[in-house]
């Protein structure tokens, strides 16, 4: 698969993004791997000026809407850090089948590493209006409902839907 035609066009404005685990492997079925994602976002919000407006984490991909002074740098840092931490976790827990797949499906040109965790790119789309922000938040929060995992969006644990419903979420976000 070639480079994505989606790019972060205006780094200081909100973008809807998707990050997918290589070959859609189900890595986020483990609470520890989801926690790595949440901890990274928490750190980036506190130390790197990331504004996180919404997110959902499913078993093999995640969607989020974020903004930062240098969003490209934040996203690259996010993907690099989380990949390293999750691979280290899988190695420590000896999850050999997932590790073998991450090794096997690694892009041929990735000669500097044994594994590849994320697919290339982030499928970034500029959120250019209030209506588009509502549409993307509804899409994000509706994902687990559409898949039949929950009846109400705010019941999906790994989502910001509960934050928007006035409930406590797993991490703080920047409500739109």
């Amino acid at each position: 698969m070639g480079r994505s035609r989606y790019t972060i066009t205006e780094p200081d404005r909100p973008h809807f993004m998707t990050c997918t685990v290589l070959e859609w492997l189900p890595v986020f079925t483990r609470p520890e791997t989801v926690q790595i994602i949440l901890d990274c976002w928490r750190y980036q919000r506190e130390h790197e000026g990331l504004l996180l407006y919404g997110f959902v984490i499913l078993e093999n991909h995640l969607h989020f809407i974020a903004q930062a002074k240098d969003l490209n740098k934040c996203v690259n840092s996010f993907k690099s850090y989380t990949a390293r931490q999750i691979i280290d976790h899988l190695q420590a827990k000896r999850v050999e089948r997932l590790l073998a797949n991450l090794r096997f499906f690694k892009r041929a040109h990735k000669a500097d590493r044994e594994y590849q965790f994320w697919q290339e790119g982030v499928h970034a789309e500029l959120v250019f209006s209030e209506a588009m922000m509502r549409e993307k938040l509804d899409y994000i929060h509706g994902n687990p409902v559409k898949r039949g995992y929950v009846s109400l969006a705010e019941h999906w644990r790994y989502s910001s839907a509960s934050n928007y419903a006035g409930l406590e979420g797993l991490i703080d976000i920047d409500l739109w």
Side-chain angles (χ1 to χ4, degrees), residues 55 150 153-159 162 170:
F55 71 91
V150 292
E154 58 268 24
H155 290 171
W156 186 251
R157 182 173 174 74
Y158 303 127
S159 163
S162 56
L170 291 177

Side-chain angles (χ1 to χ4, degrees), residues 17-88:
M17 291 168 278
T18 301
C19 294
T20 306
V21 177
L22 195 64
E23 294 296 315
W24 296 85
L25 296 169
V27 176
F28 300 121
T29 57
R30 305 158 191 279
E32 302 88 1
T33 55
V34 174
Q35 193 61 50
I36 291 167
I37 300 295
L38 297 173
D39 289 346
C40 186
W41 277 332
R42 187 178 294 112
Y43 177 87
Q44 287 187 313
R45 286 186 71 246
E46 292 173 7
H47 301 283
E48 297 177 7
L50 180 76
L51 298 173
L52 181 64
Y53 297 113
F55 71 91
V56 66
I57 303 169
L58 298 162
E59 67 276 6
N60 52 22
H61 70 288
L62 54 88
H63 301 290
F64 64 107
I65 301 172
Q67 175 179 347
K69 187 172 183 173
D70 189 347
L71 189 55
N72 282 308
K73 182 179 176 189
C74 273
V75 171
N76 289 339
S77 171
F78 168 81
K79 288 182 74 176
S80 176
Y81 176 82
T82 56
R84 179 76 267 146
Q85 294 299 308
I86 291 169
I87 289 168
D88 287 351

Side-chain angles (χ1 to χ4, degrees), residues 128-156:
F128 54 83
S129 69
E130 179 76 27
M132 185 176 186
M133 179 63 87
R134 286 282 136 226
E135 173 191 316
K136 295 302 184 185
L137 285 169
D138 289 346
Y139 174 79
I140 284 172
H141 296 149
N143 227 289
V145 176
K146 182 179 176 184
R147 288 171 168 246
Y149 297 161
V150 292
S151 297
L152 296 172
E154 58 268 24
H155 290 171
W156 186 251

Side-chain angles (χ1 to χ4, degrees), residues 105-136:
F105 291 117
K106 175 185 72 146
R107 298 286 298 219
H109 68 274
K110 299 280 186 187
D112 63 333
R113 64 195 77 169
E114 185 176 0
Y115 305 100
Q116 180 177 346
F117 184 77
W118 296 110
Q119 286 185 12
E120 300 289 328
V122 292
H123 191 96
E125 295 179 59
L126 175 66
V127 177
F128 54 83
S129 69
E130 179 76 27
M132 185 176 186
M133 179 63 87
R134 286 282 136 226
E135 173 191 316
K136 295 302 184 185

